[in-house]
Amino acid sequence: MFGIDVRAARAVWTAALVLLALYCAYTVRTTLLVLLFGVFFSYLVYPLFVLLQRWTGGRLPRVPLLIMVYALIVGAFVLAGALFGTRIATEAQNLAQELPKLMQPGQLQRQLPLPAPLEPLRVRLAEFLQNLISAGASQALPTVRGLGTGLLHVAGNLIYVVVVPIFSFLMVRDAPGIEGVLVSLGKKQDGSFWSSLARGLNHLMSQYVRALALLSLATVIVYSVVLSLLGAPFALLLAVLAALLEVIPVFGPLIAALSIFSVAIVSGYPHVWWLVAFIVAYRIFQDYMLNPYLMSEGVNVPPIVVVFGLLAGDELAGVPGIFLSVPFFAAVRIVAVQIRIHRERRQLEACEAGSGPDSG
């Protein structure tokens, strides 16, 4: 009557709702990131909760059991800080004081460890390395420049420190209710798609968070032990740095290796090539043995997509975008796989219905 196309109106209305939802998500992006990190933390807490639940035989209610889990986690952090916090702080202070002296002209040239065949190139190599280190310190990737600032920003907001554990506590406490909703959803018509998708995303998150935690733990233990045995300078500080950078795919381990190598060179450490051999051997073990064992097939993302995700995530959301880029693309992959499986199932059901006994 008024010349209005109903289908066009529905499409415009749907697009408007999508844009409104995206705008609302962008407006509350900080809150969404805090809740998302709460989800990550809950996946770290839940395995310990299940282990303690089995150890107690399921006799304790969920809330007291969760309180015990959080008490153990806080106790572990306090113990680690008491044992290693002072040493890490001392090494960081010493490195900050000594690094400007070590970077003085001629200092690197005298301390650079070189084999005999490369001695004629000492001056040129020293100048090249000094320019490279200076350029890397002043013109590092935005990813690296924003990492420390982002971590300090997060740590400086007490609300993050409080809300993330609270949200993870509530999520683990209500896990049976969430599972019940998914089971009831799967029983409805076409609900199997959503329940399968939820199970796939849950498996992805549990595998990814567990793998990151174990990889970082393995890195800090192995690096601290080996660097200390080799007598490398600032061993514990560099091991903690390598463990923190382990959560950044591709670039994180590379930055950690370059940092260890640079500090060893400017400090005049005489066994730099032993450090290089150790880092290469450990990366081979980590990347080709331990990482594939911990990461499930659904978590693996092609390296080119990882690099693109890291750069795009840094531009879009800074440090949180870097951290979330890999699980985001892995989640997109799971959604695409579930859509394909659902369509194939619907086509198969349609074919079976068409070839039934009444079809003739």
Side-chain angles (χ1 to χ4, degrees), residues 16-254:
L17 289 178
V18 171
L19 291 176
L20 179 61
L22 292 176
Y23 173 76
C24 293
Y26 179 79
T27 304
V28 297
R29 60 189 181 278
T30 302
T31 302
L32 291 178
L33 285 174
V34 171
L35 295 182
L36 192 56
F37 280 112
V39 173
F40 276 89
F41 190 73
S42 66
Y43 279 101
L44 287 176
V45 171
Y46 192 71
L48 183 59
F49 171 79
V50 172
L51 182 63
L52 196 60
Q53 192 176 42
R54 293 176 180 174
W55 182 69
T56 57
R59 293 184 296 269
L60 290 178
R62 295 182 70 87
V63 173
L65 208 58
L66 267 175
I67 294 175
M68 292 176 60
V69 169
Y70 273 77
L72 290 175
I73 294 175
V74 172
F77 274 103
V78 171
L79 180 61
L83 293 177
F84 307 109
T86 303
R87 179 180 170 183
I88 294 174
T90 302
E91 290 185 356
Q93 184 178 4
N94 292 338
L95 178 61
Q97 293 175 352
E98 295 180 11
L99 197 57
K101 301 177 183 178
L102 297 173
M103 291 301 297
Q104 292 178 356
Q107 186 74 12
L108 181 60
Q109 178 181 339
R110 292 190 299 268
Q111 295 185 349
L112 182 63
L114 290 176
L118 296 180
E119 278 296 333
L121 302 176
R122 173 176 291 275
V123 177
R124 293 184 178 180
L125 288 176
E127 292 178 354
F128 172 76
L129 288 175
Q130 187 164 4
N131 293 334
L132 184 63
I133 294 172
S134 300
S138 60
Q139 300 179 359
L141 288 173
T143 297
V144 184
R145 292 202 306 265
L147 182 61
T149 305
L151 291 177
L152 290 176
H153 174 72
V154 172
N157 288 272
L158 184 60
I159 187 64
Y160 297 161
V161 181
V162 174
V163 171
V164 168
I166 291 177
F167 182 77
S168 63
F169 182 94
L170 297 176
M171 187 174 180
V172 176
R173 188 198 65 179
D174 299 333
I178 298 175
E179 185 178 0
V181 171
L182 294 177
V183 171
S184 62
L185 183 63
K187 295 179 180 179
K188 298 180 180 179
Q189 184 179 4
D190 294 335
S192 59
F193 167 75
W194 298 105
S195 60
S196 299
L197 179 60
R199 285 195 297 268
L201 293 176
N202 177 64
H203 179 72
L204 162 69
M205 293 292 291
S206 61
Q207 289 287 329
Y208 184 72
V209 174
R210 185 192 68 176
L212 280 185
L214 293 178
L215 290 174
S216 298
L217 181 62
T219 298
V220 71
I221 292 175
V222 175
Y223 271 57
S224 59
V225 171
V226 175
L227 294 182
S228 298
L229 291 176
L230 292 176
F234 313 106
L236 188 57
L237 175 65
L238 295 175
V240 173
L241 175 65
L244 293 176
L245 291 173
E246 194 67 37
V247 301
I248 302 178
V250 183
F251 290 148
L254 179 61

Side-chain angles (χ1 to χ4, degrees), residues 259-290:
S259 301
I260 295 173
F261 184 68
S262 301
V263 170
I265 287 180
V266 300
S267 300
Y269 179 67
H271 307 297
V272 174
W273 303 113
W274 283 108
L275 284 180
V276 174
F278 156 68
I279 293 174
V280 171
Y282 182 76
R283 292 319 314 174
I284 292 175
F285 167 75
Q286 179 98 309
D287 296 337
Y288 295 98
M289 297 180 65
L290 185 59

